[in-house]
């Protein structure tokens, strides 16, 4: 896929004492509800989802932003676990929508952790929400951890043993753990070789400031020992009233077992599986991803 289109606006909005960085592609006043992209992590950045801005070429304005703690937004490495909460990021999203004056009509696309956050936002039935896309997201972290064990047990011989040894010893920052971790990532996070530039940009942003990721998630995708380890949206997704599109990859770390509660509980929902993708079909099957999302957006009331 060709390079992502140039932004029509960039900036920051005040969020309490802090700032949230955002990027707009397309015209927010075109009459169509903008697609607001909520990235994963928590503690990642918008970069790996940047090619979704291609939708602006089809008349759908797109808003990317970096959640507080990473990327172009305020970094707060000295804040503890009591600061980094789900409510913080829900408030930040609502604040961004207000400041951009799009809270009266918008669509959310949440990817990975961003999908849970977007689902929680949608379950509160905000008046301006027109649609919801949940991409590569589990409905609960307990389900995620259950499936991580399944996927880890299928790794090549010796890999999981190496991971477990370092996790038990508290040496997850070692080079050996990183190399073993990469085996999992290349199977279930991004199957492209080499990893695309946009994905690497987000990967290294987390590496350079792991405050949010390590606090809320843990040292890796599959070793969730942070504050989110018991969090779930299963109890509230039945309250989502807008048409919802589920997206996942056949090789995704967000396995069908983790996605199924969304399918079972959201009243108006359909599920699109990407056969050649793992956790990032927007990068792994970009043309089809854009086509599927565009079709969904064009079909909204």
């Amino acid at each position: 896929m060709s390079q992502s289109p140039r932004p029509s606006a960039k900036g920051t909005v005040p969020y309490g004492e802090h700032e949230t960085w955002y990027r707009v592609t397309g015209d927010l006043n075109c009459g169509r509800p903008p697609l607001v992209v909520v990235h994963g992590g928590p503690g990642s950045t918008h970069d790996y989802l940047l090619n979704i801005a291609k939708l602006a070429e089809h008349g759908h304005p797109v808003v990317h932003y970096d959640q507080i703690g990473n990327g172009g937004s305020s970094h707060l490495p000295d804040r503890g676990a009591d600061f980094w909460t789900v409510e913080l990021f829900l408030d930040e999203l609502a604040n961004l929508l207000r400041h951009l004056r799009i809270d009266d009509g918008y669509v959310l696309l949440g990817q990975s952790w961003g999908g849970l956050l977007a689902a929680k936002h949608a379950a509160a039935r905000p008046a301006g929400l027109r649609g919801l896309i949940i991409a590569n997201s589990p409905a609960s972290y307990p389900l995620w951890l259950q499936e991580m064990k399944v996927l880890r047990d299928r790794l090549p011989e010796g890999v999981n043993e190496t991971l477990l040894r370092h996790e038990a010893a508290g040496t997850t920052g070692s080079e050996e753990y990183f190399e073993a971790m990469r085996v999992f990532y290349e199977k279930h996070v991004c199957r492209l070789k080499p990893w695309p530039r946009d994905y690497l940009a987000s990967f290294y942003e987390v590496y350079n400031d792991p405050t949010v990721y390590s606090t809320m998630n843990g040292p890796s995708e599959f070793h969730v020992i942070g504050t989110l380890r018991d969090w779930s949206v299963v109890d509230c997704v039945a309250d989502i009233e807008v048409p919802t599109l589920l997206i996942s990859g056949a090789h995704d770390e967000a396995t069908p077992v983790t996605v199924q509660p969304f399918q079972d509980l959201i009243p108006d929902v359909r599920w699109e599986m990407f056969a050649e993708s793992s956790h990032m079909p927007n990068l792994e099957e970009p043309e089809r991803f854009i086509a599927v999302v565009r079709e969904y957006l064009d079909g909204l009331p």
Side-chain angles (χ1 to χ4, degrees), residues 167-179:
E167 287 161 6
T171 52
T172 53
S174 69
E175 184 65 27
E176 187 180 35
Y177 186 83
F178 180 85
E179 291 303 319

Side-chain angles (χ1 to χ4, degrees), residues 10-297:
K10 285 183 178 180
T12 60
V13 300
Y15 177 44
E17 302 173 0
H18 316 300
E19 291 186 330
T20 300
W21 178 93
Y22 71 90
R23 176 193 200 272
V24 177
T25 312
D27 181 7
L28 291 181
N29 298 310
C30 71
R32 282 182 161 179
L35 180 68
V36 180
V37 180
V38 187
H39 67 69
S44 186
T45 62
H46 77 285
D47 300 90
Y48 74 100
L49 298 169
L50 193 53
N51 67 341
I52 296 174
K54 293 285 286 183
L55 287 160
E57 297 177 351
H58 303 288
H60 296 285
V62 179
V63 176
H64 287 85
Y65 75 103
D66 286 337
Q67 294 161 27
I68 187 171
N70 288 86
S73 297
S74 298
H75 288 238
L76 302 164
D78 298 327
R79 296 300 179 101
D82 58 335
F83 180 80
W84 304 109
T85 64
V86 172
E87 289 70 27
L88 173 80
F89 294 102
L90 288 170
D91 289 345
E92 180 188 33
L93 173 57
N95 181 71
L96 177 73
L97 297 172
R98 285 193 303 272
H99 273 272
L100 294 182
R101 298 182 179 178
I102 57 174
D103 54 332
D104 59 345
Y106 60 98
V107 179
L108 288 186
L109 186 158
Q111 199 275 341
S112 195
W113 137 263
L116 287 99
L117 194 67
K120 185 73 171 176
H121 175 94
R125 299 176 178 174
L129 183 65
R130 301 287 179 260
L132 174 66
I133 303 170
I134 299 173
N136 318 101
S137 304
S140 89
Y141 280 94
L143 269 181
W144 175 272
L145 285 167
Q146 170 190 308
E147 288 296 286
M148 287 303 104
K149 184 179 187 312
V150 173
L151 296 179
R152 287 173 62 145
D153 287 344
R154 295 176 184 166
L155 293 173
E157 186 177 356
V159 174
N160 197 31
E161 289 76 8
T162 299
L163 294 170
L164 289 168
R165 176 162 44 83
H166 284 287
E167 287 161 6
T171 52
T172 53
S174 69
E175 184 65 27
E176 187 180 35
Y177 186 83
F178 180 85
E179 291 303 319
M181 180 181 80
R182 186 163 181 136
V183 175
F184 180 96
Y185 279 46
E186 289 177 348
K187 287 175 68 70
H188 299 299
V189 181
C190 184
R191 294 167 65 85
L192 298 175
K193 293 183 180 179
W195 281 344
R197 181 182 63 183
D198 288 350
Y199 173 59
L200 284 172
S202 287
F203 189 89
Y204 285 115
E205 286 275 7
V206 177
Y207 180 83
N208 289 333
D209 187 352
T211 305
V212 183
Y213 188 80
S214 61
T215 300
M216 299 184 74
N217 189 83
S220 67
E221 293 291 281
F222 47 79
H223 188 45
V224 180
I225 56 174
T227 56
L228 290 178
R229 62 187 177 275
D230 298 318
W231 189 55
S232 169
V233 294
V234 172
D235 63 336
C236 68
V237 293
D239 295 330
I240 294 173
E241 294 183 322
V242 295
T244 301
L245 171 65
L246 301 178
I247 290 173
S248 62
H251 309 279
D252 205 329
E253 59 180 348
T255 67
V257 171
T258 72
V259 179
Q260 191 65 44
F262 291 127
Q263 174 72 19
D264 292 342
L265 297 170
I266 297 174
D268 183 0
V269 65
R270 71 178 178 91
W271 190 349
E272 198 80 30
M273 180 72 75
F274 284 70
E276 304 302 320
S277 295
S278 56
H279 199 51
M280 303 199 176
N282 68 295
L283 295 175
E284 295 166 292
E285 297 179 66
E287 289 82 7
R288 182 175 171 228
F289 184 92
I290 292 296
V292 166
V293 173
R294 182 187 175 191
E295 179 189 28
Y296 165 80
L297 294 173

